Amino acid sequence: MRAVLQRVSRAEVRVEGRCVGAIAAGCVALIGVARGDTEADGETIAKKICGLRLWSDAQGKMNLPLGGRAVLAISQFTLLADTRRGMRPSFDTAAPASEAAPLFAFVVERLRAMGVTVATGVFQAEMQVELVNEGPVTVIVESSR
């Protein structure tokens, strides 16, 4: 499982012109599920989202975790693109929707169980994500697989 985390001052996701999820300060988490991923991978990603110190402390060092901030979680299979050959990305390592949907939902569930306010997009929908990246701070995290 792979996630791209972006520290944001605000973000929203729209489907067919309608806002389906929005957050103020927090983190946009673009989450890609790979073939063979398990709930253990989802647990790892959820813990990383909650625990990574991406916010500045009083001394200006990135030393604070998510805390009371929110997460906008977006399923994104394109994070698993293999671009090593040719000019057309291969998505062979991405899990099919039947596997990815429950694991994405598991990550969202685990985040909520950890006390995080989570907004989401719509699985498999064409979405428009608008965000204001603070810093900018963008990191990639992967499960231990």
Side-chain angles (χ1 to χ4, degrees), residues 1 7 33 52 54 60-61 89 108 129 132 136 138:
M1 196 171 288
R7 186 178 75 183
V33 179
L52 275 178
L54 301 178
K61 293 187 179 187
V108 170
V129 180
V132 177
T138 302

Side-chain angles (χ1 to χ4, degrees), residues 14-39:
R14 294 181 169 275
V15 175
E16 296 179 2
R18 183 176 62 87
C19 180
V20 296
I23 63 168
C27 178
V28 170
L30 306 172
I31 301 169
V33 179
R35 289 182 186 274
D37 279 346
T38 66
E39 288 185 353

Side-chain angles (χ1 to χ4, degrees), residues 61-141:
K61 293 187 179 187
M62 285 193 343
N63 204 26
L64 300 175
L66 187 63
R69 298 170 190 90
V71 170
L72 177 59
I74 306 290
S75 176
Q76 190 170 0
F77 78 94
T78 59
L79 293 179
L80 284 297
D82 182 350
T83 59
R84 292 176 292 179
R85 290 183 288 180
M87 299 307 280
R88 182 180 306 235
S90 168
F91 300 105
D92 290 345
T93 61
S98 60
E99 290 176 32
L103 284 173
F104 175 78
F106 177 80
V107 172
V108 170
E109 173 189 308
R110 290 303 302 137
L111 289 167
R112 289 180 175 147
M114 294 174 197
V116 177
T117 299
V118 181
T120 67
V122 176
F123 193 85
Q124 284 191 297
E126 182 74 26
M127 295 176 271
Q128 294 76 46
V129 180
E130 181 179 324
L131 58 93
V132 177
N133 190 330
E134 276 191 1
V137 174
T138 302
V139 298
I140 299 168
V141 296

